Amino acid sequence: MDSRTKGKTVMEVGGDGVAVITLINPPVNSLSFDVLYNLKSNYEEALSRNDVKAIVITGAKGKFSGGFDISGFGEIQKGTRKEPKVGYISIDIITDLLEAARKPSVAAIDGLALGGGLELSMACHARISTPGAQLGLPELQLGVIPGFGGTQRLPRLVGLTKALEMILTSKPVRAEEGHSLGLIDAVVPSAELLTTARRWALDIVERRKPWISSLLKTDKLPPLGEAREILKFARGQTRKQAPNMKHPLMCLDALETGIVSGPRVGLEKEAEVGSQVISLDTTKGLIHVFFSQRGTVKVPGVTDRGLMPRKIKKVAIIGGGLMGSGIATALILSSYPVILKEVNEKFLEAGIGRVKANLQSRVRKGSMSKEKFEKTMSLLKGSLDYESFRDVDMVIEAVIENISLKQQIFADLEKYCPQHCILASNTSTIDLNKIGERTKSQDRIVGAHFFSPAHVMPLLEIVRTNHTSAQVIVDLLDVGKKIKKTPVVVGNCTGFAVNRMFFPYTQAAMFLVERGADPYLIDSAVSKFGMPMGPFRLCDLVGFGVAIATATQFIENFPERTYKSMIIPLMQEDKRAGEATRKGFYLYDDKRKAKPDPELKKYIEKARSISGGNVDPKLVKLSEKEIIEMTFFPVVNEACRVFAEGIAVKAADLDIAAIMGMGFPPYRGGIMFWADSIGSKYIYSRLDEWSKTYGDFFKPCAFLAERGSKGAPLSAPVEQARSRL
Ligand SMILES: CCCCCCCCCCC[C@H](O)CC(=O)SCCNC(=O)CCNC(=O)[C@H](O)C(C)(C)COP(=O)(O)OP(=O)(O)OC[C@H]1O[C@@H](n2cnc3c(N)ncnc32)[C@H](O)[C@@H]1OP(=O)(O)O
Ligand SMILES: NC(=O)c1ccc[n+]([C@@H]2O[C@H](COP(=O)([O-])OP(=O)(O)OC[C@H]3O[C@@H](n4cnc5c(N)ncnc54)[C@H](O)[C@@H]3O)[C@@H](O)[C@H]2O)c1
């Protein structure tokens, strides 16, 4: 393969008159422009050759295709590749050359057919698949729309309602379901895939099997009036669920055009809309997230050393509270045998009960069978001492946030665990060097920072100290992958990456309300921006105990830039500690529904009198845009510090950490990507102005000042970071 080209296709014509075209572009046979243009040449040749009667398309090495090459969108966005004529691929090649050909095509699908891959197969005249293959149109998740005819062909093959479900949720179906839906014509074992597809193609030529053009099918489409109703409902749901994104509605426009005006007009609309969405900011953000998420496992100096992960056969967890039980759940769900240690029988029973409840909720929802529940629970054993720790390969400590307790536990672990055993802590804030101070095992001490609820939240912050060995990181990255978490490797410091970014966010919110802003308006503006909830609702959810413990760590470690608000401690004194006590910034009813509390004013006023601040008329009347800037620019400022200090190696890792740890909206691309979309100069100037008016909490850090003064991107690599790794 030429080093400048990305992928290719190979065509072989058999003695039976079937031309087999294989898509080759590892690792997922994505449809790069090179692959697509090669495919076109193969078709032209196959159609002109007298010895070819029919065509089979397949993918190399057990994968049909993972879809259009996503990096191609980036090339178009950056202007490094010229856009082909609108509709050139979907209409000229896939429809007019392939589907309308006078020789039939059959898709032989192994492993997966996603996005453009599935769309290409739907233009074939039949689809044969191996069992379990994944079939889906996940384009909306990337900010684009199915652009190779998927908006037209999928509803015609599986019906409008199912097509909408598959497109709007981006969730694939398995081959077996695809078969029952009419998307797949036959499911056969891998070894029989090609022979069946060849035979099927010849059967079509010989009219023993029907020659079906998906685009011309109408039997699965509902009557027009019903279709319009279904689409109206889908639009309403989409507006509610994705209010800040345009591309899902644009996708529905393409779909509806095809139903109302016919598939050819639909294809043209799809091509037009497909071209428009590529330049949306939300699309740029989502594509950035796709690659950044896959980039977190590439850690310079660690994963490029040829180290192989060691097998982790058994894990011990210390502490069966909220986090320990969640971590245990995540591990046993991925078949790791786990020992859960607690302080006494009562706490142990409670911890095991929490794990049980986590799994039972899956049984109730139908996503886990009773047998699987029993089998999974059997992997969990309780313990009150360290005797059973003698053959564990990894321990994760998850006891309360208390330095001396954790120090004692790590000293004990060194005595009881085997020499190779990884010693991990789930601490959210404490310096790992302090935790391991009383051991000689610094090279195997690491942070495994999960987020609550640990069996649900997708992020795992892997915290390494200057002493943690590369092998231990590689091992933990592997465990993270097996338990389906996205790991982000960060350096050791108070709060690591996520909590360091989180802290200024809540602090900025406290500052604003003490100076007169309305907390409920702040929460509303932040939710509209795309966060799952505002900072005050979040504090209620987390609970004031945790909020105060975290704040204490920050005040001790970063006093120069901490805004010390008394609002939460004052409420805590009155036994209102958040949602768990049904009173916090909000009041909660029996169903835990939150409503504003007029009494909150009292605490805000008292806190204001303690801090000595005044109501600022400007802050009382903040617009939503100003609220977002005043709550998130301090987060950008802290993210810059984290990046400049080398706590995060890549800005993209902070983007993923913010999205998966804080709930930052993915379609904004993550905190650094979003900041760069606004511009470092502007962010710097705003923070600088606020710091002069309101104090050092807003003071831009040196990194931001330097890049802001030049208007340089914040996410550009740090050349000489004071690396803490
Ligand atoms: C006129 C207008 C402009 C014209 C432009 C042309 C028109 C475009 C029309 C659009 C046509 C089409 O409708 C659009 C699409 O098809 S978009 C792509 C849809 N497909 C997907 O979203 C699938 C994305 N991939 C995945 O979900 C997973 O990667 C997976 C395929 C399920 C495999 O998962 P897993 O085994 O866990 O492996 P990884 O996720 O780690 O991926 C391995 C590596 O492969 C890279 N990858 C995967 N998919 C793609 C892809 N589609 N394009 C490019 N690269 C891909 C991934 O980045 C990993 O790479 P690294 O190993 O380097 O990290
Ligand atoms: N709660 C969160 O949202 C969250 C998120 C991430 C990380 N963390 C961190 O996780 C850790 C645990 O937090 P949590 O919220 O699960 O606390 P928790 O209070 O719910 O649970 C702690 C458990 O540890 C047990 N324990 C105490 N000493 C022990 C010992 N010597 N041996 C065995 N068990 C012992 C306690 O009995 C208790 O059940 C803390 O370090 C916290 O900072 C918490």
Side-chain angles (χ1 to χ4, degrees):
M1 209 184 293
D2 183 325
S3 62
R4 286 160 306 174
T5 59
K6 276 178 102 184
K8 61 176 182 180
T9 58
V10 168
M11 183 170 84
E12 277 179 60
V13 180
D16 57 358
V18 177
V20 176
I21 302 174
T22 307
L23 311 168
I24 309 173
N25 190 14
V28 299
N29 299 324
S30 62
L31 303 173
S32 62
F33 286 105
D34 292 317
V35 168
L36 289 162
Y37 296 150
N38 271 235
L39 180 71
K40 174 177 178 282
S41 306
N42 292 151
Y43 256 86
E44 284 163 347
E45 188 189 331
L47 296 179
S48 70
R49 275 172 67 158
N50 290 333
D51 59 340
V52 175
K53 294 188 218 158
I55 298 149
V56 164
I57 310 180
T58 193
K61 300 209 169 147
K63 284 173 184 155
F64 184 77
S65 171
F68 183 68
D69 174 8
I70 298 166
S71 62
F73 294 121
E75 291 168 12
I76 293 171
Q77 285 162 348
K78 285 187 207 121
T80 53
R81 179 180 284 273
K82 203 168 160 290
E83 261 187 40
K85 182 189 85 172
V86 172
Y88 177 63
I89 298 169
S90 71
I91 301 178
D92 296 14
I93 302 180
I94 295 183
T95 306
D96 294 347
L97 181 66
L98 198 157
E99 191 179 39
R102 53 194 169 74
K103 296 180 185 178
S105 298
V106 173
I109 301 171
D110 206 358
L112 49 86
L114 298 174
L118 182 64
E119 294 176 284
L120 179 62
S121 79
M122 289 193 290
C124 292
H125 304 98
R127 285 149 298 283
I128 316 298
S129 169
T130 54
Q134 289 184 64
L135 316 162
L137 294 182
E139 283 89 342
L140 293 193
Q141 202 168 263
L142 287 167
V144 292
I145 69 159
F148 289 164
T151 61
Q152 307 304 310
R153 290 190 181 89
L154 191 62
R156 285 174 168 78
L157 281 167
V158 304
L160 180 58
T161 306
K162 186 67 194 178
L164 284 171
E165 181 197 315
M166 286 175 69
I167 293 173
L168 292 175
T169 63
S170 288
K171 280 199 187 131
V173 296
R174 296 272 171 195
E176 293 73 8
E177 188 183 349
H179 187 218
S180 65
L181 290 168
L183 180 57
I184 294 295
D185 296 279
V187 180
V188 299
S190 212
E192 292 166 27
L193 182 65
L194 271 183
T195 41
T196 311
R198 294 182 99 109
R199 185 68 256 152
W200 202 289
L202 291 172
D203 281 350
I204 297 179
V205 176
E206 287 152 21
R207 305 287 163 176
R208 281 194 296 269
K209 295 262 191 242
W211 188 321
I212 297 169
S213 293
S214 317
L215 203 59
L216 305 180
K217 265 170 73 69
T218 50
D219 56 314
K220 292 266 177 95
L221 292 181
L224 194 56
E226 194 184 319
R228 282 205 157 112
E229 279 306 304
I230 295 172
L231 283 157
K232 189 175 163 199
F233 180 75
R235 277 211 175 79
Q237 292 293 100
T238 305
R239 276 197 196 95
K240 247 192 249 160
Q241 282 159 14
N244 294 335
M245 284 185 273
K246 292 194 186 122
H247 70 282
L249 291 171
M250 292 163 84
C251 176
L252 292 175
D253 291 344
L255 226 140
E256 183 154 12
T257 303
I259 288 173
V260 174
S261 309
R264 187 78 191 184
V265 187
L267 278 181
E268 281 159 10
K269 180 75 180 173
E270 180 196 91
E272 178 199 322
V273 166
S275 166
Q276 288 164 354
V277 296
I278 296 177
S279 47
L280 294 174
D281 284 344
T282 48
T283 304
K284 291 179 187 161
L286 287 167
I287 288 175
H288 168 74
V289 169
F290 176 84
F291 288 114
S292 303
Q293 193 176 346
R294 279 150 186 86
T296 63
V297 290
K298 293 168 190 157
V299 188
V302 174
T303 53
D304 48 10
R305 290 166 60 166
L307 293 168
M308 294 308 288
R310 292 174 295 178
K311 193 163 167 48
I312 305 291
K313 293 187 288 293
K314 200 190 239 186
V315 183
I317 295 170
I318 311 186
L322 178 71
M323 294 308 292
S325 58
I327 299 168
T329 310
L331 286 163
I332 58 174
L333 273 170
S334 296
S335 308
Y336 284 101
V338 169
I339 298 169
L340 186 66
K341 180 188 176 292
E342 257 295 347
V343 282
N344 58 39
E345 286 288 354
K346 190 174 151 214
F347 280 70
L348 183 57
E349 211 176 291
I352 293 175
R354 273 187 276 272
V355 178
K356 214 181 228 175
N358 291 340
L359 296 186
Q360 268 162 347
S361 123
R362 288 175 184 236
V363 176
R364 265 198 311 280
K365 288 181 196 147
S367 61
M368 181 182 258
S369 67
K370 286 212 168 107
E371 299 74 57
K372 175 88 176 134
F373 166 83
E374 296 298 342
K375 201 169 160 218
T376 309
M377 273 312 285
S378 73
L379 291 168
L380 183 69
K381 303 271 176 286
S383 172
L384 295 177
D385 58 39
Y386 291 115
E387 280 312 317
S388 51
F389 280 44
R390 299 210 181 262
D391 65 345
V392 296
D393 305 301
M394 177 160 86
V395 179
I396 303 175
E397 166 276 309
V399 304
I400 48 167
E401 198 75 333
N402 175 311
I403 297 188
S404 58
L405 175 62
K406 288 185 195 264
Q407 285 176 332
Q408 180 56 49
I409 287 174
F410 273 70
D412 291 341
L413 289 176
E414 196 175 42
K415 280 187 236 146
Y416 287 92
C417 299
Q419 291 252 315
H420 71 273
C421 179
I422 298 167
L423 307 178
S425 172
N426 181 49
T427 176
S428 353
T429 46
I430 305 175
D431 181 340
L432 288 161
N433 286 321
K434 284 189 192 152
I435 292 180
E437 217 165 64
R438 292 198 227 151
T439 74
K440 292 189 196 71
S441 299
Q442 268 82 3
D443 60 332
R444 50 193 175 115
I445 292 180
V446 66
H449 186 213
F450 290 81
F451 294 78
S452 177
H455 58 296
V456 177
M457 292 290 282
L459 186 68
L460 171 62
E461 232 178 351
I462 298 180
V463 188
R464 54 175 168 170
T465 70
N466 286 330
H467 313 288
T468 312
S469 77
Q471 181 64 58
V472 164
I473 312 276
V474 168
D475 297 341
L476 203 48
L477 280 169
D478 188 53
V479 173
K481 186 172 179 194
K482 293 202 168 109
I483 61 173
K484 299 179 189 75
K485 301 286 175 202
T486 296
V488 174
V489 177
V490 297
N492 180 35
C493 64
T494 300
F496 320 126
V498 174
N499 282 341
R500 267 185 70 173
M501 292 193 284
F502 235 132
F503 197 58
Y505 163 70
T506 43
Q507 283 217 306
M510 298 303 156
F511 166 81
L512 291 178
V513 295
E514 274 198 20
R515 298 303 180 97
D518 180 332
Y520 304 117
L521 284 183
I522 293 178
D523 269 5
S524 155
V526 168
S527 300
K528 279 195 205 156
F529 175 73
M531 295 291 282
M533 62 188 82
F536 298 103
R537 179 70 187 81
L538 180 76
C539 283
D540 277 0
L541 184 72
V542 168
F544 292 175
V546 173
I548 291 171
T550 316
T552 310
Q553 287 291 330
F554 279 86
I555 292 167
E556 270 174 27
N557 288 281
F558 311 116
E560 75 292 350
R561 56 178 192 266
T562 315
Y563 181 73
K564 298 179 198 69
S565 167
M566 286 303 288
I567 303 179
I568 287 184
L570 286 171
M571 283 201 266
Q572 170 99 333
E573 263 176 34
D574 271 5
K575 306 222 177 326
R576 33 190 312 159
E579 194 179 315
T581 56
R582 298 230 189 147
K583 273 182 180 185
F585 288 98
Y586 293 82
L587 295 176
Y588 296 87
D589 65 17
D590 290 349
K591 292 187 182 128
R592 308 233 143 184
K593 197 171 164 359
K595 71 168 195 215
D597 180 5
E599 281 210 3
L600 183 63
K601 257 195 196 141
K602 185 178 85 183
Y603 297 99
I604 295 173
E605 277 160 15
K606 196 159 175 200
R608 187 180 301 134
S609 72
I610 296 171
S611 70
N614 295 316
V615 169
D616 182 320
K618 262 202 240 157
L619 301 184
V620 176
K621 293 188 299 212
L622 287 175
S623 67
E624 286 188 346
K625 176 174 177 277
E626 288 165 325
I627 290 175
I628 295 308
E629 291 184 353
M630 291 195 85
T631 42
F632 283 101
F633 286 1
V635 179
V636 172
N637 198 16
E638 194 62 27
C640 285
R641 288 192 185 95
V642 169
F643 189 34
E645 288 166 22
I647 297 297
V649 190
K650 302 182 244 77
D653 287 350
L654 290 171
D655 288 330
I656 297 303
I659 290 167
M660 297 196 167
M662 294 176 69
F664 195 82
Y667 52 83
R668 298 194 189 274
I671 191 75
M672 298 294 267
F673 187 91
W674 175 71
D676 278 338
S677 73
I678 293 169
S680 58
K681 202 173 218 161
Y682 178 71
I683 297 177
Y684 169 71
S685 71
R686 299 302 287 146
L687 283 165
D688 190 47
E689 187 190 318
W690 298 330
S691 71
K692 286 174 185 143
T693 320
Y694 304 119
D696 281 354
F697 169 70
F698 290 104
K699 190 172 170 193
C701 67
F703 175 92
L704 181 52
E706 195 215 319
R707 295 209 173 179
S709 66
K710 297 184 210 141
L714 299 175
S715 54
V718 176
E719 269 158 31
Q720 283 171 330
R722 246 186 328 115
S723 181
R724 302 265 288 267
L725 301 176

